[in-house]
Amino acid sequence: MIELGGNIKLAGFNDIEPMKLIVVKKMVGTYAKKISDNLSEFQELSLHLKPIHDNPDKDDNIKCELQAKLIIDGKPFNSEITDYNLFFAIDKVLARLMEEVRK
């Protein structure tokens, strides 16, 4: 598990290429900053990456499942997405969490 700051956790990201991991950390950090700027009760953001190996011949096209959990003032918000593009999945799953919090 990778921890960013004290309230951001990334699970399943240990096997990601170092250059991709830098982009992942920046994306997640940017969303966490937006959330904490708007909500003072922000407690934790966690992402769990699970690769789904339905195309083992092409490393770039491995489908992944991404589960996100956001805890605001003790209340959990969850979102999940499955996609071939990790960056698109991160953006989409975190955008969904932000929509849930605004409701």
Side-chain angles (χ1 to χ4, degrees):
M1 181 178 304
I2 300 169
E3 288 193 35
L4 308 175
N7 54 356
I8 303 170
K9 296 177 181 164
L10 304 176
F13 286 85
N14 292 332
D15 295 332
I16 300 292
E17 297 172 25
M19 294 303 289
K20 285 185 178 180
L21 188 57
I22 290 170
V23 176
V24 167
K25 288 178 180 180
K26 287 186 184 270
M27 289 178 72
V28 174
T30 300
Y31 268 100
K33 175 89 169 111
K34 287 179 189 178
I35 294 167
S36 66
D37 286 348
N38 295 323
L39 301 164
S40 60
E41 304 87 16
F42 170 62
Q43 292 176 310
E44 183 179 304
L45 173 62
S46 61
L47 295 172
H48 189 164
L49 176 65
K50 295 180 184 179
I52 301 171
H53 299 285
D54 43 58
N55 194 357
D57 297 331
K58 297 181 183 178
D59 290 336
D60 291 340
N61 288 331
I62 294 176
K63 195 180 233 184
C64 62
E65 177 182 322
L66 190 60
Q67 299 171 342
K69 182 178 182 180
L70 176 64
I71 300 176
I72 302 287
D73 197 24
K75 183 178 178 188
F77 296 88
N78 297 295
S79 183
E80 184 177 312
I81 193 167
T82 303
D83 200 281
Y84 285 101
N85 185 319
L86 176 62
F87 303 130
F88 176 78
I90 290 170
D91 184 57
K92 198 68 169 172
V93 79
L94 293 175
R96 286 182 186 173
L97 276 179
M98 288 186 73
E99 287 176 22
E100 280 294 315
V101 170
R102 290 182 187 143
K103 289 182 181 179

